[in-house]
Amino acid sequence: MNEKEIKKLLNSKVFPHKVRYLKLRETYISWLIFTGNFVYKIKKPVKFSYLDFSSFQKRKIFLEEELRLNRRLTKEIYLDVVPIAESGGRLRILESSRAPIFKNEKIKDHALKMKEIPEKYYAPELLKRGKLRKNSVKKIAKIAADFHRTARTSPEINKYGSIKIIRKNCEENFRQMRPFVGKVVNETLYKFITEETRSFLNKTKALFLKRQKGKKIRDCHGDLHTENIFIAPQKIYIIDCIEFNKRFRYQDTASDVAFLAMDFDYLGKPDFSKYFIEQYNFELKDRDLYKIFPFYKCYRAYIRAKVGCFSLPKADMSSIQKYFSLAFKYAYEFSNPVVDFRHPDEVGIMRRSRSKIHYWAKRKPFLLVFCGEIGSGKSYLADYLSRITGARLFKSDVIRKEILGIPLFEHRKRSLEKIYSRAVTERVYKKMIGDGLKLLKKGELVILDATFPTDFYRKIVIDKAEKEKIPHLFVECRASEKKTLERLQERIKKKEISDATVQVYLQLKGKFEKIKLPKENYISIDTEKEDVNNEANKVLKKVLCLK
């Protein structure tokens, strides 16, 4: 069917039941018609490398597959595959697959008939309104665990968990993302994710083989995320599994649940992500789940970023970068190799091998400290790096106003002396460093953005970072006085949080103490010579130890 014919279906007379309303929605592979009681899904006549709906027969086969597969979880929602009959240019949808057609009619196409679930139960909407509760997350985890416990497996399905196929899938992702590197996603992060994924696969072949032998490779859902979940009072409905390509559905159960855990992280609910996987594993007792989980979360986030790139220019650029930053964060988590330790004080998951004790070392989160004189461009670069890496950003300008109870965009020129007094500044730095350290201890990447004008303030950070053995890098941003004054003049025209003006700059000029740190903990960036992406690459290569 084509778009013109689909529009003919937006007529209540076409349907074999009462119609409360008619709404048409479309994806890149389907049309969906909502009628108030039922939804009809019609596949577009499209063909891609990973799916083929190009013929009448193929569309019917895949609709029947979609019905069969989704009834595993929501039998009462997925009802039938019904013919769409045509006669003299008029269309009608039959009540069931068994309903007779008239002599003068021919079957034009087919539709998947589903019971319509009210929008108010849609999980993303519940999340947006703060109505999704942990109890529902627990129920979803149990549904997923029960489903995986009984999901089909076979020698054919099991081969999709082999290191060979998983590596092939990853390499396909890297290859397909390459045209967008440096334009949409950062090249240093791309290189890091690529290298660490390959390294992880090389070092954990035995783990993937163990997953196969343990029958963890199953006929899964394949697309388990919040957009496919409805939470009604009487039941939770998980819909829309992958039917068009078994390669996307035959997978490790850990990969299936990693998608939803990643989705919770993306939606700003890391507590739900953690709780979901805890409850899921409480049900299944998968001893190796946490060893492989960051890898599969990275894999899922990377695919979402890749799909977003394919949808450009319609896709939201910030969404793509957020998914890619999550992929980086997860890759950073699994990037350390297995090493020998005698004292497990910095250790993750332990295993025994002959007489030695091996641990999977948890890589410490890094701390970036942006410093430099007023107008040096440090905040702009810090903002950019926070956005592309997902690191939590703490800005002294924001904290200063919060402490003093001043609205963020309000500027009190007459009170500058008090606002920038030593007593207030010490409170600001204490809170900023303290809050940052709390998140670092939880495994979050952190960026601090402040002037850090003297060794006094720098030493506070260094001492605390070294005590917790947290890798840290001071990034000093520099610019000529001419460029600095230009930037400060531009600030007057923009809505800025900072109170720093030309006057403040001139008052503090020359009071910034020279930074004396080992080269592994320090980098200097000239912010007027290069664009922000090149500046970010220099910082990332340094902190990630990349060439």
Side-chain angles (χ1 to χ4, degrees):
M1 294 187 72
N2 56 42
E3 286 190 24
K4 188 176 179 180
E5 290 166 329
I6 289 295
K7 286 178 180 177
K8 287 183 180 180
L9 295 177
L10 299 178
N11 183 335
S12 60
K13 293 178 181 179
V14 165
F15 299 89
H17 53 75
K18 287 184 179 180
V19 172
R20 289 165 52 200
Y21 52 74
L22 285 167
K23 293 179 184 177
L24 174 65
R25 293 179 186 170
E26 67 176 293
T27 69
Y28 73 108
I29 57 174
S30 300
W31 291 288
L32 292 107
I33 299 173
F34 296 78
T35 68
N37 292 314
F38 302 101
V39 183
Y40 293 87
K41 185 175 187 179
I42 301 154
K43 295 195 179 296
K44 292 181 176 179
V46 293
K47 183 177 181 178
F48 301 106
S49 60
Y50 51 89
L51 68 81
D52 186 359
F53 300 157
S54 58
S55 72
F56 173 93
Q57 192 60 33
K58 285 176 180 177
R59 290 193 293 279
K60 184 173 185 278
I61 288 170
F62 282 114
L63 283 172
E64 289 170 345
E65 267 294 271
E66 190 168 354
L67 175 70
R68 180 185 70 82
L69 291 164
N70 280 293
R71 294 191 78 177
R72 296 178 299 173
L73 280 165
T74 48
K75 188 174 182 180
E76 61 272 56
I77 299 300
Y78 287 81
L79 305 175
D80 204 351
V81 173
V82 296
I84 302 171
E86 181 188 37
S87 175
R90 292 185 178 183
L91 299 170
R92 74 179 182 101
I93 294 177
L94 276 63
E95 188 170 2
S96 74
S97 54
R98 296 173 183 167
I101 64 168
F102 302 134
K103 288 183 179 179
N104 60 338
E105 288 181 322
K106 66 175 183 178
I107 297 176
K108 180 71 177 175
D109 219 317
H110 290 83
L112 177 61
K113 184 179 181 180
M114 299 170 282
K115 183 179 178 182
E116 185 171 337
I117 310 170
E119 284 285 315
K120 63 183 179 180
Y121 301 135
Y122 188 45
E125 283 301 312
L126 292 172
L127 264 173
K128 199 179 294 182
R129 302 199 311 267
K131 298 290 185 181
L132 185 55
R133 306 287 184 235
K134 273 194 169 183
N135 188 49
S136 294
V137 176
K138 183 178 180 179
K139 289 178 181 177
I140 294 167
K142 188 173 189 322
I143 292 168
D146 290 343
F147 172 62
H148 286 156
R149 192 180 284 115
T150 59
R152 190 169 63 95
T153 188
S154 68
E156 185 204 358
I157 291 170
N158 205 38
K159 73 180 182 182
Y160 284 86
S162 71
I163 197 82
K164 181 180 178 182
I165 288 183
I166 291 167
R167 183 179 281 114
K168 178 185 174 182
N169 292 342
C170 291
E171 291 298 331
E172 179 183 72
N173 286 337
F174 301 147
R175 187 172 62 254
Q176 290 173 339
M177 183 65 90
R178 206 168 290 141
F180 306 100
V181 174
K183 300 170 186 176
V184 181
V185 298
N186 177 270
E187 52 264 46
T188 305
L189 297 185
Y190 170 83
K191 182 180 179 183
F192 180 82
I193 296 168
T194 302
E195 289 182 358
E196 294 304 332
T197 297
R198 289 169 177 164
S199 176
F200 182 83
L201 290 172
N202 288 335
K203 291 170 182 171
T204 55
K205 291 177 184 177
L207 176 59
F208 286 93
L209 184 60
K210 185 180 177 183
R211 304 292 291 175
Q212 283 184 289
K213 288 180 178 178
K215 297 183 178 180
K216 300 298 182 185
I217 317 306
R218 304 257 170 168
D219 187 352
C220 294
H221 184 281
D223 204 20
L224 184 58
H225 56 93
T226 55
E227 290 179 10
N228 288 333
I229 299 174
F230 287 80
I231 303 168
Q234 71 278 15
K235 189 176 177 181
I236 292 173
Y237 301 104
I238 299 176
I239 65 168
D240 209 18
C241 77
I242 298 288
E243 89 291 342
F244 53 79
N245 192 323
K246 60 187 179 183
R247 181 163 68 98
F248 299 163
R249 200 177 67 250
Y250 292 175
Q251 60 186 355
D252 195 316
T253 52
S255 178
D256 216 26
V257 289
F259 200 162
L260 182 55
M262 180 280 296
D263 196 34
F264 279 134
D265 284 339
Y266 174 82
L267 294 167
K269 299 297 290 183
D271 53 332
F272 282 4
S273 177
K274 184 180 178 183
Y275 186 67
F276 167 69
I277 205 61
E278 285 173 350
Q279 293 302 310
Y280 172 83
N281 210 30
F282 174 78
E283 296 289 336
L284 280 190
K285 308 289 190 295
D286 185 344
R287 294 180 64 185
D288 293 323
L289 179 66
Y290 289 102
K291 296 178 186 179
I292 207 163
F293 205 54
F295 168 79
Y296 278 124
K297 285 209 288 184
C298 175
Y299 178 76
R300 290 298 189 172
Y302 197 99
I303 288 175
R304 292 293 264 189
K306 180 188 75 173
V307 171
C309 287
F310 288 167
S311 303
L312 288 170
K314 290 182 179 180
D316 178 14
M317 186 75 79
S318 63
S319 176
I320 295 170
Q321 290 184 337
K322 189 173 179 180
Y323 278 122
F324 204 70
S325 72
L326 276 175
F328 163 70
K329 178 185 174 184
Y330 302 140
Y332 191 85
E333 285 180 30
F334 68 69
S335 61
N336 258 17
V338 173
V339 292
D340 290 335
F341 284 103
R342 290 298 171 189
H343 302 289
D345 55 332
E346 297 179 39
V347 162
I349 298 155
M350 180 179 77
R351 65 179 175 85
R352 292 185 179 273
S353 174
R354 296 182 183 176
S355 60
K356 289 185 178 180
I357 297 177
H358 296 273
Y359 299 95
W360 190 267
K362 288 183 179 178
R363 185 166 187 163
K364 290 281 188 179
F366 63 70
L367 169 64
L368 292 178
V369 183
F370 279 81
C371 58
E373 294 188 277
I374 291 168
S376 60
K378 60 184 178 297
S379 293
Y380 187 72
L381 181 54
D383 284 340
Y384 181 78
L385 272 162
S386 172
R387 192 165 63 250
I388 66 170
T389 63
R392 293 290 294 274
L393 176 61
F394 293 89
K395 302 170 74 71
S396 62
D397 289 330
V398 172
I399 294 169
R400 191 181 300 273
K401 290 196 169 180
E402 288 175 347
I403 284 174
L404 297 172
I406 300 172
L408 284 182
F409 296 101
E410 184 177 308
H411 300 287
R412 299 179 181 179
K413 294 181 181 180
R414 294 180 182 179
S415 306
L416 284 178
E417 191 173 330
K418 179 184 176 182
I419 290 170
Y420 284 91
S421 68
R422 183 180 177 89
V424 171
T425 299
E426 286 185 9
R427 285 175 63 195
V428 169
Y429 277 81
K430 184 179 179 181
K431 179 170 175 53
M432 178 178 64
I433 295 166
D435 290 350
L437 193 66
K438 286 177 186 175
L439 286 183
L440 285 161
K441 287 179 178 179
K442 291 180 180 179
E444 294 281 341
L445 311 178
V446 170
I447 296 175
L448 304 182
D449 171 22
T451 305
F452 285 93
T454 65
D455 285 338
F456 173 79
Y457 297 112
R458 298 166 199 158
K459 192 173 186 302
I460 297 172
V461 178
I462 294 166
D463 287 348
K464 289 186 180 293
E466 289 183 347
K467 183 181 178 182
E468 300 295 332
K469 298 180 181 177
I470 293 168
H472 55 283
L473 179 69
F474 276 76
V475 183
E476 182 185 1
C477 294
R478 296 180 175 183
S480 66
E481 183 168 273
K482 181 182 177 183
K483 188 65 176 179
T484 298
L485 293 173
E486 282 178 15
R487 288 171 176 167
L488 293 173
Q489 289 292 348
E490 281 294 315
R491 274 189 189 175
I492 300 170
K493 304 172 188 176
K494 298 177 182 177
K495 196 175 183 181
E496 294 271 359
I497 294 171
S498 177
D499 288 309
T501 60
V502 172
Q503 180 186 354
V504 175
Y505 166 75
L506 294 173
Q507 285 176 352
L508 298 176
K509 183 182 174 184
K511 295 182 180 179
F512 188 88
E513 294 179 5
K514 186 176 180 181
I515 297 177
K516 298 175 183 177
L517 289 171
K519 63 180 183 179
E520 61 266 23
N521 299 117
Y522 172 77
I523 186 172
S524 177
I525 299 290
D526 187 333
T527 61
E528 65 178 302
K529 284 187 177 180
E530 298 188 74
D531 67 31
V532 70
N533 189 56
N534 288 337
E535 294 165 1
N537 282 330
K538 284 186 176 181
V539 174
L540 289 169
K541 285 176 182 177
K542 181 90 174 177
V543 78
L544 298 173
C545 303
L546 295 174
K547 292 181 180 179

